[in-house]
Amino acid sequence: MTQNRAFWRSIEAVHDVVYFAPDAKQRYEALGLKGYWMGYVASRSAALGTPSPTTVTALFHGFAPALVRRALPDAWERATPADVLEARLTIARDALAPVLDGVDVDRVARELEQVVAGLDFAGKPLAAAHADVPAPGDEVGRLWHAATVVREYRGDCHVAVLTAAGLDGASANALAVAAGLAPAEQRTVRGWTEEEWDDAVSRLGTRGWVDSTGALTDTGRSARAQIEDTTDRVCAAGLDRHATGRAITVEAALTGIARNLDHAGAVPYPNPTAVPRP
C-alpha cells in the first residue's frame, strides 16, 4: 500500500478541498480574519490552540516566515481557534457533499478512523494536534476529519525527510517546481522573495540537482524520487498492521472520491501541495 501512492494522493485531495473552495476567503473573513492567507495559516494551525509564528513556520516548513508572521498572532486577536476550525469544517462539508453520490460515506469514514487509530504520532506534531480535535458527528465531517489527520501525518513524515536531506523550505519548493510538481508561481504563493528563491535555486545547483537555468538534472530527479520513497518508508513504519489493512481496504473508494473531486474541478492540478493526481 505504501508504495502505491494512490491512497496518499487521494487523502491529499480529500483534505485539500478546504484550500481551493472558491468561498474560503469569504468564510474566514466573516469571522474577522483578513485575507486568504490569514485564513489558511490560522485554520491549519488552530488545532494547536494559538501557536506562535515560529512554531507554525517550523511545522509548515515550506512557507516563508514572513508570510506566517503576517497572519499570526494577529489572527488569534480576530477569531477563536474553535470558530476557525468550525468554519474550515463547514467549507469541507460543502465541498465534499456534491461528489459523494453513491459513496458509502459512513464506511469510508469508519475505515479512515481505524487508520487514524493505528498511527504512531511520535514525531508527528501537526497530525497529533488534529487527532486531538474532537471528530464531528456527521458522516461527511468524520470522513474529512480522519483524512486530515492522515494527511498531516504524511506531511509530518515528509518534513522530517526533507530536513534530514538538508532541504530548507524555499529549496524544497524550488525543487518541486523544477520537478514539475508545483506551479511556476510557487514562489509567490509560499511567500518567498525573489532573492530568497534565487538563493534556494543556487543551493540546489551546488548539489547538482538543477542546472544553470534552474532545470532539473538527472541527479535532481533521482534525489526527488528518493525523497518520496523515503517518505513512503517513514509513513509505513508508523502504521500498525491493522491500520495498513484498513488503508488497503478503503483505497479504491477513497480514490474514487478524489477523482470525482478532480473531475468537478474542486482540486486543481498541478497545485501548490506538489501532489499529483491519484
Side-chain angles (χ1 to χ4, degrees):
M1 184 275 299
T2 56
Q3 295 305 316
N4 181 355
R5 292 179 182 144
F7 174 81
W8 298 110
R9 291 174 180 178
S10 298
I11 283 287
E12 183 72 34
V14 171
H15 169 76
D16 284 357
V17 294
V18 294
Y19 305 136
F20 302 111
D23 62 344
K25 176 175 177 287
Q26 289 77 10
R27 298 282 189 101
Y28 294 128
E29 286 180 338
L31 298 178
L33 300 183
K34 185 179 179 181
Y36 175 86
W37 284 111
M38 182 177 285
Y40 175 99
V41 173
S43 65
R44 193 175 168 209
S45 65
L48 292 103
T50 57
S52 71
T54 303
T55 296
V56 173
T57 298
L59 294 173
F60 286 11
H61 182 264
F63 288 81
L67 183 150
V68 178
R69 288 195 300 268
R70 286 195 293 272
L72 303 180
D74 188 26
W76 310 132
E77 299 296 325
R78 295 170 174 268
T80 68
D83 286 344
V84 173
L85 288 172
E86 184 58 35
R88 187 166 79 146
L89 180 59
T90 300
I91 293 169
R93 289 189 184 110
D94 291 347
L96 285 171
V99 304
L100 295 176
D101 287 346
V103 176
D104 187 342
V105 178
D106 180 64
R107 183 186 75 82
V108 175
R110 282 188 284 108
E111 297 282 2
L112 286 177
E113 286 166 344
Q114 291 181 64
V115 173
V116 170
L119 295 177
D120 177 3
F121 290 108
K124 292 94 176 178
L126 201 50
H130 282 86
D132 279 343
V133 174
D138 62 294
E139 295 176 348
V140 178
R142 285 170 47 224
L143 188 159
W144 182 81
H145 176 264
T148 293
V149 176
V150 178
R151 187 264 192 173
E152 296 295 10
Y153 166 84
R154 182 175 174 83
D156 287 334
C157 292
H158 192 56
V159 168
V161 172
L162 291 170
T163 55
L167 287 172
D168 58 89
S171 296
N173 276 281
L175 182 61
V177 172
L181 297 171
E185 61 269 20
Q186 190 80 345
R187 176 186 71 78
T188 56
V189 169
R190 291 293 190 246
W192 301 102
T193 66
E194 289 186 16
E195 181 179 2
E196 290 169 333
W197 194 261
D198 289 345
D199 287 345
V201 172
S202 178
R203 289 192 291 275
L204 295 177
T206 299
R207 291 175 175 232
W209 290 7
V210 298
D211 63 21
S212 59
T213 69
L216 194 68
T217 64
D218 288 342
T219 301
R221 186 172 294 103
S222 176
R224 189 63 181 74
Q226 185 175 8
I227 286 169
E228 290 300 319
D229 290 344
T230 304
T231 301
D232 282 340
R233 291 195 295 274
V234 172
C235 286
L239 272 72
D240 68 18
R241 293 179 63 184
H242 183 68
T244 300
R246 292 305 90 201
I248 292 171
T249 300
V250 79
E251 181 179 305
L254 195 65
T255 301
I257 296 170
R259 289 175 178 166
N260 288 345
L261 289 169
D262 182 15
H263 295 156
V267 178
Y269 294 94
N271 66 61
T273 68
V275 177
R277 286 181 170 86

